[in-house]
Amino acid sequence: MAFRIEDLHHVQLLTPTGGEAVARAFYSGVLGMTEVVKPPVLAARGGCWFRAGGWEVHLSPVPDFRPAAKSHPGVLIHDLDGLAATLAAAGHPVEWDPHFPGHRRLYSADGHGNRLEFLEKEDQR
């Protein structure tokens, strides 16, 4: 093949129109991600972008929003127990799932109900 996939740049999730404050509260406030300044032409469309570690999430508003209940990004984490405690303390329930070989993982949801999967390699504990 003449091409190769290098890395994941971003994941796009949807929010309700005007949902930026709720997104900021979760992605910056709970997860500690840094908000990325959107280019002006894209900022005019609304939404917000966040970055941390090796992933970026772009949140885009839509008028007929429905949270992603099954599809989700899978994010590698260091200190999954610490993240679980942080999520629970912020009112975001955590659902542990032991069925991913070589990893510990949990599911939670952002402030709009979009499903998120967080994983930690078992050998990182």
Side-chain angles (χ1 to χ4, degrees):
M1 297 181 112
F3 71 91
R4 74 172 192 264
I5 296 173
E6 292 184 359
D7 207 345
L8 175 67
H9 183 271
H10 70 273
V11 172
Q12 181 172 344
L13 297 175
L14 302 179
T15 65
T17 302
E20 290 85 356
V22 170
R24 286 183 179 101
F26 181 78
Y27 290 95
S28 283
V30 177
L31 296 185
M33 298 178 79
T34 301
E35 187 165 357
V36 177
V37 177
K38 292 177 66 173
V41 68
L42 299 177
R45 300 177 188 172
C48 39
W49 296 355
F50 301 91
R51 179 184 301 140
W55 79 300
E56 198 167 294
V57 61
H58 295 182
L59 294 136
S60 298
V62 294
D64 58 343
F65 170 76
R66 290 193 181 130
K70 184 70 175 171
S71 62
H72 58 270
V75 183
L76 285 171
I77 296 292
H78 175 76
D79 190 10
L80 192 63
D81 293 314
L83 172 64
T86 298
L87 288 166
H92 297 275
V94 168
E95 174 190 342
W96 288 93
D97 183 348
H99 304 292
F100 197 93
H103 294 77
R104 297 175 64 232
R105 77 173 171 176
L106 63 83
Y107 293 100
S108 192
D110 69 13
H112 294 298
N114 291 307
R115 185 179 200 198
L116 302 169
E117 177 181 339
F118 297 100
L119 306 101
E120 181 176 45
K121 292 182 181 177
E122 286 182 345
D123 61 2
Q124 288 184 336
R125 293 191 75 206

